[in-house]
Amino acid sequence: MKTNERYSPVPSSDKEVDIIDIKGIEDIGYVQQDAIILNSLLPEESLHCRHGLYFQDGRRRVDYILTYHIKKPSSSRSRRSSRLTDNAFTRSLRRGRAQPPPPPPPPPAPPSPLPKGDAEAGGMADHSLDYHEDDKRLRREEFEGNLMEMGLELEKDEDTKTPGVGFVKIHAPWNVLCREAEFMKLKMPTKKVYEVKQSSSVVEKINTFIHKVTDPLHPNTEENRTQKVKHLSYPFSREKQHLFDLSDKDSFFDSKTRSQIVFEVLKRTKCTKAKYSMGITSLLGSGVYMAAYPLHDGDIDGENVEPNDRKLLYEEWASYSVFYKYQPIGLIRKYFGEKIGLYFAWLGVYTQMLIPASLVGVIVFLYGCVTVDDDIPSMEICDDRKSIVMCPMCDRVCSYWNLSIACSTARASHLFDNPATVFFSIFMALWAAMFMEHWKRRQMRLNYEWDLTGFEDEEEALKDHPRAEYEFRVMQKSKRREMKTQKAEKEKLTCKDRFPAYMTNIVMMLLMIGVTFAIVFGVIVYRISTKAALHMSSNPTTRSNVRLTVKATAAIINLVVILILDEVYGAVARWLTVLEVPKTDKSFEERLIFKTFILKFVNAFTPIIYIAFLRGRLVGRPGSYLYVFESYRMEECDHGGCLMELCIQLSITMLGKQLIQNNLFEIGIPKLKKLIRYIKSKRAAFQEEEREKRLQRYETDHFLEPFAGLTPEYMEMIIQFGFVTLFVASFPLAPLFALLNNIIEIRLDAKKFVAELRRPVAARAKDIGIWYNLLRGVAKVAVIVNAFVISFTSDFIPRLVYQYMYSMDGSMHGFVNHTLSVFNVTDFKNHTAPMDPLYLGIPVHLCRYKDYREPPWSNTPYDLSKEFYAVLAARLAFVIVFQNVVMLMSDVVDWVIPDIPKDISLQIHKEKILMVDLFMKEEQGKLQVLDSMLSAGKDNSNTNNHSTVARSRSTPHARSNNY
């Protein structure tokens, strides 16, 4: 067996367990080295090993679990199976506390004779199955032998209540934990403690008062209580173990850290006897192992459940009854690691910041409700005395209609299209900047509290191991090069190697975006054709509700398509990322996030962008409309503008995604997958008494859903952040709905992580990575989008232009008439005039339509008027001014608020000084010990010199006496 170059095997003299010689390893090509043989107690002697959290001896804790498939031998290959049962690793893990050797197994019964054809076919199939199973078994044996060389202790359990699944329990002894903690540079608390003080007494008093007021909102956990003292942390070193409190070695490394260390060893350990070097990811991908996961700390409910962090998280975090409390971020980090802790800390900050945004949004909405009766344009539209005849909304089947029919739409539009929405857009832009700054400060505080101030992502990247797929591709390239040049050189994948994958990525991304555009165009055609069909209905109720029916059904169709394409685009983005063969897991994750974000962002916002900026602007005019497929006329906006329909589309999409995709899918799909795994395990066929028997902890965790990463959680919130900021001018209630969703989302995610998922491996991180850049990008784009929504989608700018340039008395009286152009019905083209021109009971000679165009009696009939260009100039000017002013204000907020809180910077500086003092005292202590040893040596030498002189003086006398 190839010895690891960095870490030598643990010497057998250091083991406090029995060592036996494993001759079977030599038979399959291994070289025998020092190995740990695990003696174990019987299950009934250890009270089920504390329900599977410990080895059979009840002392060594299970830090990690590997599961593999067990195939029961059939009668046709019983001879071969009986020979393989006594393999090397099985013998190395058998119980051996002075137990007598078991009697030899009886010879297998001869197989029953089969017909010749069936025997040949069965023999070929069994031989193929045997070959694959034996190959997997040999790889497992080699990999597990390498793990033992690394110092890990293993124990197998194939006699479980889960048929067809074997479990390998892994325990990291103290010397391995110390070695790996030093290699990983894990910061551990030292014996040195210091007092944490606030920057000033006033700030301390304010914080104390706030903490007392909000005390009922804090969870009942030790980690969430204000700490007056803090342990000084230092990267663990075996040479400086005296700095750390090692009085209780079992609890010095908690379960999260132990599993993190074991996972690091698993990633570094290779299986070299296969066709190519295989690590744990390759072994999992090829089916050698079914799963690999750390164990949860214990049960969360039931009688006589021992207190544990998982149970505490379930009670104080994952319960809906504590929705009003803060999250126990410290305990989340302790149990799941820094990366997951940062996600929930960010989600908590985002949810808290939504509270003021929701309040302001509700105030803006209420302002619209209060002032709707005073809105002069709405009053003019609703005035039945002004019989303004409008041109038909579609060709032939639609007839003329009175503007007063749009009264309800105009009044509803005012709820969202009023001067307060401009203020709210500016407020939300500043809110986004405040949110970013607040999170940076919170992140720095957590870095200090979690001892991540000296941790750099570059250090993590340096030891980030290449992915198995990357190593396989490099090995293939090396083999091809060796066949050509007969020289072994170190290879790596270059841009030339990845060029086909890059081209595939570009083509597929453009194709997927094109699919989104095509579907949006299909929905547009649906709206146009459905509107025309409903206008032909003989039912007056149907004809009167055409607009509402078309809007609602089109929005629901868009929602369904978005939900379906979200899943498709997620799979496509993963496939494209796999094609690129990124070198490290971090690179793979970042590329996957970028592709997924682009596709899902385009998918979610393309229909909204069309309604906001394109609909109603590609229509034409009466007598010269723009047609699709030469038969369908492009759709127009309502007289109140497209803002109301934009609000409907935005609300249905946002609420639908949150309720269906984010909540229903997150609850239903994990439970469905768990049920499928339960059925596949054939446990349903067990007898009732077998069901009632208690499963071991590692068996229970096996049926939980594997952890798939934080990308779906972050992506869900980033898209929601886009809904909250991008089109907030059209939907001021978006922050409120986001807040209500997130209150449920936090507890839902908490329950999923604690009770529905296997425990993820803890990962260190000092920030949220690429997600912060995406947030900043969305916030910057939101300023531009809201500027265009206010100026081009709403009637805010046309109203200002009319009030200050064209109004006779400076009021809004006459605004509706100002925005309507005149059309002579005799100018309709053939087969476009309404079939029922007397629908209103009077003959119509002139009709009105919403646009700024010259009247038919002018010298340039139906051309764009000067009012159009005045409004366009005002709109463009508003976009430029709004964008630059808001960007400047955001930059001022960013500059005024420091990224690092003052008290945290002082504490970090204080820690550095204390660390220097600690090492200076240590050096002084060493020098004192050395001086005392030297002085003691000098005293001994002086004493020896005096005794030598005395002996030399007495020697002549002695000699003289002898003579």
Side-chain angles (χ1 to χ4, degrees):
M1 183 179 293
K2 184 179 179 180
T3 306
N4 190 285
E5 297 177 357
R6 182 170 293 179
Y7 299 113
S8 59
V10 183
S12 59
S13 58
D14 293 339
K15 318 288 195 307
E16 297 181 357
V17 291
D18 298 332
I19 305 296
I20 63 173
D21 186 25
I22 307 177
K23 297 182 179 178
I25 292 182
E26 298 174 358
D27 299 335
I28 56 175
Y30 293 115
V31 179
Q32 173 64 25
Q33 298 212 10
D34 296 333
I36 298 177
I37 306 306
L38 310 178
N39 298 325
S40 57
L41 301 174
L42 294 175
E44 54 270 15
E45 294 177 356
S46 61
L47 193 60
H48 294 285
C49 329
R50 303 190 207 177
H51 309 306
L53 291 173
Y54 291 82
F55 275 23
Q56 292 289 340
D57 56 15
R59 295 192 303 271
R60 289 170 295 179
R61 185 178 184 89
V62 177
D63 298 320
Y64 220 87
I65 288 291
L66 301 177
T67 66
Y68 57 93
H69 178 66
I70 301 174
K71 189 169 184 64
K72 293 184 179 180
S74 61
S75 59
S76 61
R77 49 192 173 92
S78 58
R79 184 182 304 275
R80 179 175 178 82
S81 298
S82 62
R83 183 174 71 251
L84 295 175
T85 53
D86 197 22
N87 62 70
F89 192 70
T90 305
R91 290 199 301 272
S92 72
L93 296 179
R94 63 183 150 190
R95 303 178 182 122
R97 284 199 173 186
Q99 295 179 359
S112 57
L114 295 172
K116 185 176 180 181
D118 293 346
E120 291 178 358
M124 294 177 62
D126 289 342
H127 178 74
S128 177
L129 290 173
D130 283 348
Y131 174 78
H132 290 296
E133 290 300 320
D134 292 347
D135 183 59
K136 291 180 181 180
R137 177 181 56 79
L138 294 177
R139 292 184 188 181
R140 284 198 299 269
E141 290 172 1
E142 181 192 359
F143 184 72
E144 291 160 5
N146 290 342
L147 291 180
M148 291 198 299
E149 276 195 354
M150 298 293 288
L152 298 179
E153 299 177 358
L154 313 180
E155 183 178 80
K156 275 191 175 180
D157 186 4
E158 296 183 353
D159 186 19
T160 65
K161 302 179 184 66
T162 307
V165 181
F167 297 88
V168 178
K169 295 176 278 188
I170 303 178
H171 168 77
W174 174 253
N175 58 334
V176 175
L177 293 174
C178 294
R179 181 190 70 202
E180 297 298 325
E182 181 176 356
F183 171 69
M184 296 169 65
K185 300 180 181 179
L186 295 181
K187 273 191 172 183
M188 304 302 295
T190 63
K191 298 176 184 178
K192 177 70 174 179
V193 296
Y194 66 95
E195 185 179 0
V196 179
K197 292 184 178 180
Q198 300 290 340
S199 56
S200 66
S201 58
V202 178
V203 175
E204 185 175 1
K205 290 179 180 179
I206 294 175
N207 289 337
T208 304
F209 173 74
I210 294 175
H211 190 273
K212 287 182 179 180
V213 172
T214 60
D215 187 63
L217 303 179
H218 290 278
N220 298 322
T221 59
E222 189 67 30
E223 285 76 10
N224 251 65
R225 295 186 176 92
T226 304
Q227 302 292 335
K228 295 294 183 182
V229 296
K230 185 179 184 294
H231 283 270
L232 195 64
S233 296
Y234 185 74
F236 187 84
S237 173
R238 287 173 288 182
E239 296 179 354
K240 300 183 182 297
Q241 291 192 27
H242 57 278
L243 297 177
F244 307 95
D245 184 10
L246 303 180
S247 57
D248 186 6
K249 293 184 177 181
D250 292 336
S251 61
F252 182 73
F253 295 106
D254 56 17
S255 60
K256 176 258 299 182
T257 307
R258 296 176 69 97
S259 63
Q260 186 179 2
I261 289 174
V262 173
F263 181 67
E264 185 66 26
V265 177
L266 289 174
K267 287 197 301 182
R268 200 169 58 246
T269 305
K270 300 295 181 182
C271 178
T272 58
K273 291 294 181 182
K275 294 180 182 179
Y276 58 94
S277 178
M278 299 180 70
I280 185 62
T281 53
S282 302
L283 294 174
L284 289 170
S286 60
V288 176
Y289 289 105
M290 295 170 59
Y293 52 89
L295 293 181
H296 281 292
D297 279 357
D299 293 327
I300 54 179
D301 53 9
E303 298 181 359
N304 302 322
V305 176
E306 297 180 359
N308 57 77
D309 288 342
R310 187 189 185 198
K311 185 174 184 297
L312 186 59
L313 281 172
Y314 189 79
E315 294 172 351
E316 295 294 331
W317 181 44
S319 175
Y320 290 105
S321 61
V322 294
F323 73 93
Y324 61 92
K325 289 188 176 182
Y326 294 108
Q327 299 181 87
I329 297 299
L331 186 60
I332 296 170
R333 174 253 180 177
K334 177 185 175 185
Y335 193 79
F336 291 110
E338 287 80 7
K339 194 170 185 178
I340 294 177
L342 280 173
Y343 163 71
F344 282 104
W346 173 83
L347 182 57
V349 170
Y350 172 47
T351 305
Q352 290 177 19
M353 290 294 292
L354 282 173
I355 296 176
S358 302
L359 293 176
V360 177
V362 171
I363 292 172
V364 169
F365 179 75
L366 293 178
Y367 171 81
C369 295
V370 171
T371 59
V372 67
D373 292 330
D374 299 329
D375 183 48
I376 296 176
S378 299
M379 295 168 61
E380 289 183 348
I381 293 175
C382 296
D383 190 357
D384 293 331
R385 294 172 298 178
K386 295 182 179 180
S387 82
I388 301 177
V389 179
M390 303 295 294
C391 295
M393 298 294 293
C394 60
D395 292 341
R396 301 289 293 168
V397 297
C398 300
S399 186
Y400 306 106
W401 55 285
N402 280 322
L403 182 59
S404 58
I405 297 176
C407 176
S408 58
T409 305
R411 289 174 62 86
S413 297
H414 179 74
L415 301 179
F416 306 100
D417 187 5
N418 56 70
T421 57
V422 179
F423 158 76
F424 189 56
S425 300
I426 299 174
F427 170 81
M428 288 303 295
L430 298 179
W431 172 87
M434 291 284 291
F435 165 57
M436 296 296 174
E437 294 304 311
H438 181 37
W439 166 244
K440 283 195 291 188
R441 291 169 63 84
R442 174 66 170 156
Q443 190 172 255
M444 282 304 304
R445 190 174 295 277
L446 291 176
N447 285 340
Y448 162 72
E449 294 175 356
W450 295 351
D451 300 317
L452 295 171
T453 50
F455 171 75
E456 295 294 337
D457 290 335
E458 288 76 11
E459 297 179 4
E460 196 75 5
L462 288 175
K463 71 180 189 64
D464 202 356
H465 306 281
R467 299 174 63 248
E469 293 82 359
Y470 179 85
E471 291 182 337
F472 179 59
R473 286 284 299 274
V474 169
M475 186 209 66
Q476 288 181 324
K477 183 179 179 181
S478 301
K479 286 186 175 180
R480 289 194 299 267
R481 179 65 62 86
E482 289 176 11
M483 292 176 62
K484 294 179 180 178
T485 62
Q486 302 297 326
K487 293 182 180 180
E489 298 179 357
K490 188 175 181 180
E491 295 287 348
K492 65 177 183 179
L493 296 184
T494 61
C495 292
K496 183 179 179 180
D497 300 320
R498 292 192 173 102
F499 182 76
Y502 289 154
M503 292 303 299
T504 305
N505 270 260
I506 294 173
V507 172
M508 287 300 297
M509 291 284 286
L510 294 177
L511 178 62
M512 293 297 103
I513 294 174
V515 168
T516 302
F517 291 161
I519 291 176
V520 171
F521 181 74
V523 175
I524 294 171
V525 174
Y526 161 80
R527 273 201 292 253
I528 297 171
S529 58
T530 305
K531 183 185 294 184
L534 292 178
H535 273 293
M536 296 174 63
S537 173
S538 59
N539 190 340
T541 306
T542 303
R543 291 199 304 269
S544 61
N545 294 315
V546 168
R547 292 175 180 271
L548 181 61
T549 303
V550 172
K551 289 177 185 176
T553 55
I556 293 173
I557 291 173
N558 272 324
L559 172 63
V560 173
V561 170
I562 287 172
L563 294 179
I564 295 174
L565 288 184
D566 264 356
E567 303 301 320
V568 174
Y569 288 166
V572 170
R574 178 168 291 275
W575 173 65
L576 293 176
T577 309
V578 170
L579 284 182
E580 291 183 10
V581 196
K583 183 176 181 180
T584 63
D585 288 330
K586 183 177 180 180
S587 175
F588 181 90
E589 183 182 19
E590 289 181 349
R591 296 185 185 199
L592 175 62
I593 289 170
F594 179 74
K595 294 182 184 65
T596 308
F597 173 76
I598 293 296
L599 291 176
K600 291 193 174 185
F601 191 87
V602 171
N603 181 41
F605 291 101
T606 298
I608 299 172
I609 291 173
Y610 163 74
I611 295 174
F613 303 125
L614 298 179
R615 185 179 176 184
R617 289 167 179 80
L618 304 175
V619 178
R621 59 169 179 82
S624 181
Y625 283 115
L626 179 66
Y627 290 89
V628 179
F629 303 133
E630 298 183 356
S631 57
Y632 295 109
R633 201 174 91 187
M634 288 297 292
E635 53 187 347
E636 304 176 39
C637 291
D638 293 332
H639 183 76
C642 283
L643 202 67
M644 188 62 197
E645 185 164 352
L646 176 62
C647 176
I648 293 174
Q649 179 68 58
L650 192 64
S651 58
I652 291 179
T653 305
M654 181 179 179
L655 295 178
K657 279 180 65 67
Q658 291 182 166
L659 293 177
I660 298 175
Q661 188 179 42
N662 300 348
N663 295 330
L664 185 61
F665 284 6
E666 287 188 7
I667 296 174
I669 290 181
K671 290 187 178 295
L672 182 62
K673 289 182 178 180
K674 183 178 179 181
L675 178 63
I676 293 173
R677 284 195 302 273
Y678 185 86
I679 295 174
K680 283 184 177 180
S681 69
K682 301 179 182 179
R683 292 182 63 241
F686 274 22
Q687 299 296 327
E688 189 65 28
E689 58 270 15
E690 288 292 333
R691 289 183 184 177
E692 293 178 358
K693 289 184 180 179
R694 184 181 179 87
L695 290 175
Q696 300 291 335
R697 176 77 265 153
Y698 46 85
E699 294 180 85
T700 305
D701 287 1
H702 176 72
F703 291 103
L704 298 178
E705 178 75 9
F707 175 65
L710 290 171
T711 299
E713 313 298 334
Y714 272 116
M715 190 65 66
E716 169 189 335
M717 289 295 107
I718 295 293
I719 297 297
Q720 185 201 85
F721 184 76
F723 282 119
V724 168
T725 56
L726 286 176
F727 296 93
V728 73
S730 63
F731 191 39
L733 295 180
L736 176 63
F737 288 116
L739 174 63
L740 297 176
N741 173 80
N742 288 4
I743 291 174
I744 301 173
E745 179 75 18
I746 288 175
R747 307 304 163 181
L748 187 64
D749 283 348
K751 191 171 184 179
K752 181 174 68 174
F753 272 81
V754 174
E756 301 291 338
L757 297 179
R758 292 174 187 162
R759 187 175 184 178
V761 180
R764 290 187 295 172
K766 65 181 299 183
D767 52 40
I768 60 176
I770 191 176
W771 298 109
Y772 182 79
N773 297 328
L774 293 178
L775 283 170
R776 286 187 64 88
V778 172
K780 297 293 184 184
V781 172
V783 176
I784 303 173
V785 170
N786 281 301
F788 276 93
V789 168
I790 294 171
S791 59
F792 285 92
T793 309
S794 73
D795 282 338
F796 177 74
I797 299 300
R799 292 186 183 193
L800 286 181
V801 172
Y802 174 78
Q803 185 175 3
Y804 292 103
M805 291 182 63
Y806 298 103
S807 177
M808 301 298 294
D809 55 359
S811 69
M812 294 302 297
H813 289 287
F815 171 74
V816 174
N817 186 63
H818 177 75
T819 59
L820 296 177
S821 298
V822 181
F823 178 74
N824 191 338
V825 298
T826 59
D827 294 333
F828 274 122
K829 291 184 178 180
N830 294 333
H831 306 296
T832 60
M835 293 186 297
D836 187 10
L838 299 177
Y839 177 75
L840 297 178
I842 57 173
V844 177
H845 303 287
L846 298 174
C847 65
R848 310 295 295 273
Y849 61 99
K850 188 174 182 180
D851 204 348
Y852 291 100
R853 290 183 180 271
E854 296 291 343
W857 53 81
S858 68
N859 295 327
T860 54
Y862 307 125
D863 285 351
L864 294 174
S865 63
K866 61 179 182 180
E867 288 85 357
F868 171 83
Y869 293 105
V871 171
L872 179 61
R875 282 172 165 168
L876 294 176
F878 177 84
V879 168
I880 296 173
V881 173
F882 182 90
Q883 175 185 338
N884 286 278
V885 169
V886 175
M887 290 284 190
L888 178 61
M889 295 172 68
S890 300
D891 292 340
V892 169
V893 171
D894 192 0
W895 175 72
V896 169
I897 302 177
D899 294 345
I900 305 177
K902 186 177 180 180
D903 59 324
I904 295 300
S905 60
L906 293 175
Q907 297 296 344
I908 293 174
H909 182 66
K910 183 178 180 180
E911 275 196 356
K912 292 180 180 179
I913 295 176
L914 290 174
M915 187 60 69
V916 172
D917 292 342
L918 181 64
F919 282 108
M920 290 299 295
K921 291 179 181 178
E922 182 185 359
E923 292 297 324
Q924 291 175 1
K926 288 181 180 180
L927 290 176
Q928 291 176 0
V929 172
L930 185 61
D931 290 342
S932 61
M933 292 176 63
L934 290 175
S935 61
K938 289 181 180 179
D939 293 341
N940 291 335
S941 62
N942 291 334
T943 304
N944 292 336
N945 290 337
H946 287 301
S947 60
T948 303
V949 171
R951 283 196 300 272
S952 62
R953 289 177 179 176
S954 61
T955 299
H957 298 284
R959 289 177 178 175
S960 61
N961 291 335
N962 290 335
Y963 291 104

